[in-house]
Amino acid sequence: MERNEIKTLRDEAINHLTTELLPFWTRRMKDEKYGGFITHFDVNGNDTGEDEKSLIAQARCLYTLSSAHRAGYGDGELAELAKHGVDFMLGKMWDKEFGGFFWMMDRKGNVKIDQKIIYGHSFAIYSLSEYTLATGDRRGIEYAEKIFDLIQKYCVDTRYGGYWEMFHRDWTLKGPGSAGGDRKTLDVHMHLMEAFTTLYECTGKEVHRRKLLENIDLLLNVINHPVYKTGIPQFFKDWTIAPQIKFDIIWGWDRFSEDGQKGNATDNTCYGHNAEFAWLLIHALEILKIDPLSHAETLRIIFDHTVDNGIDTEYGGVYVEGPHSGGVYDREKEFWQQAEVLIGMLDGVLLFGDKKYWEAYKNVHRFVFDKVINKGVGEWFPLLSRKGEPIWTHMGHSWKINYHTVRAMVQSILRMDKILEKSE
Amino acid sequence: MERNEIKTLRDEAINHLTTELLPFWTRRMKDEKYGGFITHFDVNGNDTGEDEKSLIAQARCLYTLSSAHRAGYGDGELAELAKHGVDFMLGKMWDKEFGGFFWMMDRKGNVKIDQKIIYGHSFAIYSLSEYTLATGDRRGIEYAEKIFDLIQKYCVDTRYGGYWEMFHRDWTLKGPGSAGGDRKTLDVHMHLMEAFTTLYECTGKEVHRRKLLENIDLLLNVINHPVYKTGIPQFFKDWTIAPQIKFDIIWGWDRFSEDGQKGNATDNTCYGHNAEFAWLLIHALEILKIDPLSHAETLRIIFDHTVDNGIDTEYGGVYVEGPHSGGVYDREKEFWQQAEVLIGMLDGVLLFGDKKYWEAYKNVHRFVFDKVINKGVGEWFPLLSRKGEPIWTHMGHSWKINYHTVRAMVQSILRMDKILEKSE
């Protein structure tokens, strides 16, 4: 790994983050009239007017602003905007009667969907904890802890372990099937690991540490494939694998067949998710003060699976998904998977010093900068063909926002700086 | 079953309850000076002066008074005494800083042991819920729900399910081995079933119902022996059977060898516990509006195991414990096991109409009335030899109080009335 090559890519990332990505958002996200953030933008970055403020988009914007401020960007502007977001979340989205956040509001702050969805609440814990770490405003951690307590009370399966994730407003569990009340998912457990990590970083409380460790144990020994260590998307209550179905409440545009099942519904894993899991695990272990190399074998297997199966060596970038044992089902390119693999590959470099992870990083970095970034506008296209032609072109939506893109730049820059330090 | 025979035994129970048992306690339990209940009495019913107010004894007294009042006894005196107990529990034993009840106080209300022990908290939920059901005073259920919430937050193992049970004052988990922080027990899960049943009876809340059902599932399918349906006392976190050891914090005088292990540490089951489990399960199912006959096979196996192994057909009464597959290790007679088998056998009669359960009831009833009751004093001897000679003779102590004795009479009378109704 050439130092100059690393510096060049790092500077490209800094430039993108500070002159394109962050300005894209700071110039247009603040809703001066109703509070909170505007999150719906078309290919040109114009407000589409869609009358939605979703829990995940509001929370993810808060994370983005807070974490970028904590990393040293924005000269205070990001912290100010973050506070503006917290005011809306706590003032308008919090359910004062039953606790927790509503899933979907209109722009004015009226409730559109009052259900309690744990995927959204994991981001609320994550972002509110990060907000307090970044700004010192204790309101963030106060509400993050409230959500943690609600989740422990209402969402744990005390029979088989793990968390249920789909609830009515009053925290009664939703029904089975597409309502989701009989399913446990990789998605929610991984994002709870991410959330509990930052919660514990902020509080240092034993109960937060303990629940984080229990969740990591579940992820490593139940949710990940026993051989390939790849994530298995859905389970029934006793952790038998469930066919991957589409839920009534969604937070993405995963493609399903007409009957609501995935093709290859029981043998499907997602490269971006696996790389994200691996680097979030490394981060969690660091916060827990556990040596990540105590899990070297698992991390190696995951990173290698990503490199060997997920990276498109011909056109660049990361594929969508494939079978656990190797191979690819879907060769299109989703923006967020590129973002997560960037960070994961740099962690692979830092932990194992293996050049193949650097090559993979370079591959995806190039694809992102040459194809995924919407030049002159500043955000990323959400979905591209294998060759890199945009398929979906909106810049912002309730479930396409700045969390993956900004985090990928902030975290990649940090890691490239570390690699440079180590090679001095 | 002769109606006259049933009536005779029922009237004997009513007489004992109303002229001996309840007066024994109402005359001497009220601590006028420091509040709460005095719980230490010698063989003659004299206050021993032992400077202890334990969470379980205070809570069990509260249950006894509340449940007997709800069943129609005492003309209001029991409810008054119950309120006196609640005042002390909430005013003196509640930890205002970390939540939950201290384990052990002195009589004045100073903390002697500040640990948070779930066995005690299960009785706090049980008794405070019963208190509100009996008196309408909402303070009971308010604190019962607070404890439920604390237990869900701090005590659940979100990896393997079930509840941890030994905590420091601030709800950090205690260490392994005799500290108990690596053990899960039948005892706590069974008493949480009992507690959640009355909690749910009082609140009707879905989350209380859900956690009760999950706990019943654990008890039936993990904690009970797969073949004999007898209770297995101790487990490690992943539900592998743990050798039965003595904990640093105890609530009984189970006999252990010098190294703190039970004889037959991994093949030991207790007849009174099994019968208690069965009738508490029947009661839980009734409160849940689930037909107990949906579990007919399990209930039959447990009741038959009790009759075939636990009942002493020569000298009368119930033995202490023996191996799961049948036979007896310990032929002494503990008071509380007699009490629980009485109720269990009457439930066997009601559910299955089987005469052998009535014969077993009569056997234990006779043994209790002829040997266990301390005549002229009114309470029961805690431990007797096989033949019925008293070994331990105190009438009250931090872990020998009125909960088993009064409950056995109240519940047996109710059941004999039902049997009489059915046979009309």
Side-chain angles (χ1 to χ4, degrees), chain A residues 122 125-126 129 190-200:
Chain A
S122 72
I125 292 177
Y126 186 47
S129 302
M190 188 186 84
H191 288 294
L192 286 177
M193 173 176 77
E194 178 186 42
F196 292 175
T197 298
T198 304
L199 177 67
Y200 175 62

Side-chain angles (χ1 to χ4, degrees), chain A residues 7 22-23 35 101 171 188 205-206 214 219 232-233 269 275 291 368 370 372 386 401 414 416:
Chain A
K7 280 185 186 163
L22 288 172
F101 289 107
W171 294 98
V188 153
K205 289 187 179 175
E206 188 257 7
E214 289 170 0
L219 283 157
I232 299 169
T269 193
D291 184 356
V368 165
D370 293 349
V372 184
R386 182 181 175 191
I401 201 84
L414 273 173
M416 284 189 275

Side-chain angles (χ1 to χ4, degrees), chain B residues 118-187:
Chain B
I118 302 314
Y119 187 82
H121 284 84
S122 72
F123 283 100
I125 292 177
Y126 186 46
S127 64
L128 289 163
S129 302
E130 182 71 28
Y131 170 73
T132 294
L133 284 164
T135 65
D137 180 349
R138 302 291 300 169
R139 289 182 303 158
I141 197 63
E142 181 195 333
Y143 278 80
E145 291 203 59
K146 279 187 198 195
I147 303 163
F148 176 86
D149 293 359
L150 285 165
I151 289 177
Q152 298 305 321
K153 175 173 176 178
Y154 288 109
C155 310
V156 174
D157 176 3
T158 62
R159 168 64 178 89
Y160 290 100
Y163 297 88
W164 300 115
E165 56 195 74
M166 301 288 194
F167 294 85
H168 297 290
R169 181 185 170 188
D170 65 357
W171 295 97
T172 55
L173 187 60
K174 289 179 68 179
S178 67
D182 64 346
R183 292 294 207 284
K184 298 173 181 172
T185 71
L186 162 63
D187 219 11

Side-chain angles (χ1 to χ4, degrees), chain B residues 22-157:
Chain B
L22 288 173
F24 176 92
W25 291 102
T26 54
R27 280 178 201 152
R28 40 172 75 80
M29 72 195 301
K30 188 172 183 181
D31 187 338
E32 300 275 8
K33 192 163 178 193
Y34 299 117
F37 303 120
I38 293 168
T39 54
H40 291 74
F41 301 102
D42 68 13
V43 64
N44 298 311
N46 295 318
D47 182 354
T48 66
E50 195 160 336
D51 195 17
E52 277 188 2
K53 281 179 178 155
S54 72
L55 173 56
I56 44 171
Q58 297 297 311
R60 284 171 161 184
C61 284
L62 175 62
Y63 173 81
T64 297
L65 295 164
S66 303
S67 64
H69 174 75
R70 183 149 75 116
Y73 300 97
D75 286 325
E77 181 192 10
L78 306 177
E80 274 305 304
L81 261 174
K83 182 181 169 303
H84 175 83
V86 167
D87 292 343
F88 183 82
M89 277 181 72
L90 304 189
K92 297 284 185 179
M93 303 188 79
W94 183 259
D95 180 352
K96 292 182 182 67
E97 187 173 350
F98 294 101
F101 289 107
F102 298 113
W103 176 244
M104 186 69 76
M105 322 290 290
D106 68 13
R107 289 196 180 191
K108 291 181 181 162
N110 301 305
V111 180
K112 289 181 82 165
I113 300 174
D114 66 4
Q115 295 177 31
K116 304 292 163 65
I117 308 298
I118 302 314
Y119 187 82
H121 284 84
S122 72
F123 283 100
I125 292 177
Y126 186 46
S127 64
L128 289 163
S129 302
E130 182 71 28
Y131 170 73
T132 294
L133 284 164
T135 65
D137 180 349
R138 302 291 300 169
R139 289 182 303 158
I141 197 63
E142 181 195 333
Y143 278 80
E145 291 203 59
K146 279 187 198 195
I147 303 163
F148 176 86
D149 293 359
L150 285 165
I151 289 177
Q152 298 305 321
K153 175 173 176 178
Y154 288 109
C155 310
V156 174
D157 176 3

Side-chain angles (χ1 to χ4, degrees), chain B residues 243-370:
Chain B
Q244 198 183 350
I245 57 166
K246 186 177 176 181
F247 296 128
D248 300 337
I249 295 281
I250 57 166
W251 45 82
W253 282 289
D254 272 2
R255 277 139 297 170
F256 292 89
S257 62
E258 273 192 18
D259 63 353
Q261 283 221 359
K262 267 274 176 195
N264 320 294
T266 57
D267 180 21
N268 205 37
T269 194
C270 166
Y271 311 110
H273 227 281
N274 295 334
E276 186 179 12
F277 168 76
W279 84 255
L280 287 173
L281 173 63
I282 292 167
H283 178 60
L285 293 168
E286 284 169 348
I287 295 296
L288 289 161
K289 300 203 190 313
I290 296 170
D291 184 356
L293 287 173
S294 61
H295 291 76
E297 196 190 335
T298 297
L299 293 165
R300 269 281 200 186
I301 291 171
I302 298 174
F303 286 141
D304 288 351
H305 188 279
T306 308
V307 172
D308 296 343
N309 300 284
I311 304 284
D312 182 348
T313 50
E314 194 174 347
Y315 295 100
V318 183
Y319 298 127
V320 173
E321 59 201 7
H324 294 279
S325 59
V328 188
Y329 293 135
D330 185 342
R331 292 176 195 274
E332 292 181 347
K333 311 283 166 69
E334 292 177 338
F335 83 107
W336 67 271
Q337 302 212 40
Q338 318 305 315
E340 299 306 324
V341 171
L342 286 177
I343 310 173
M345 290 300 105
L346 290 177
D347 262 359
V349 173
L350 277 165
L351 220 52
F352 302 110
D354 194 328
K355 199 158 183 295
K356 74 177 163 194
Y357 301 133
W358 177 249
E359 293 304 319
Y361 174 81
K362 281 199 296 180
N363 171 318
V364 181
H365 179 105
R366 212 54 278 138
F367 185 76
V368 165
F369 281 80
D370 294 348

